Amino acid sequence: MCHLCDYVKLLKSAGIDPTQTRQQVLELIGKSTEPISAQEICDTLQKTVKVHRATIFRTLELLVQAGILERITSADHRSVFYDLAPNQNHRPKPYFY
């Protein structure tokens, strides 16, 4: 988890209810050293909590729409990854996929 980000505050400031799943998704992405795929998020979370794949995809879409996450598409448009969007604690990053 990014020690600089308060995910509950981030969600609330975007007008989003900070559910456990939303917080877990953000924590997982925040502690990743590189953008992460939806499948990796699902696989990791499902090891410890019961969560449906569709819930993860809806959560990711909601967080992208709110500007909390960035969706990064590979050059061949076959892969999609997610990372924290630039904010007061995170500068924009170049991606090469």
Side-chain angles (χ1 to χ4, degrees):
M1 178 169 130
C2 170
H3 67 283
L4 300 173
C5 291
D6 180 343
Y7 297 122
V8 171
K9 184 177 176 182
L10 194 60
L11 289 164
K12 286 183 177 180
S13 70
I16 298 172
D17 184 33
T19 65
Q20 182 179 1
T21 299
R22 292 171 183 160
Q23 291 177 58
Q24 290 171 324
V25 167
L26 284 174
E27 288 170 5
L28 182 60
I29 293 171
K31 72 179 180 181
S32 179
T33 58
E34 58 188 31
I36 186 170
S37 72
Q39 187 61 51
E40 291 171 308
I41 294 167
C42 287
D43 291 346
T44 301
L45 289 181
Q46 288 175 340
K47 290 177 184 175
T48 58
V49 296
K50 184 177 180 179
V51 61
H52 291 280
R53 186 176 153 97
T55 301
I56 300 298
F57 279 90
R58 284 193 302 270
T59 297
L60 291 169
E61 183 61 29
L62 175 68
L63 298 176
V64 167
Q65 293 297 320
I68 296 172
L69 294 181
E70 284 187 310
R71 180 185 296 119
I72 302 110
T73 305
S74 64
D76 63 4
H77 300 284
R78 291 183 175 198
S79 301
V80 176
F81 302 91
Y82 296 88
D83 201 359
L84 292 173
N87 62 40
Q88 64 187 14
N89 299 318
H90 298 276
R91 298 169 68 180
K93 299 178 241 174
Y95 299 108
F96 303 99
Y97 287 97

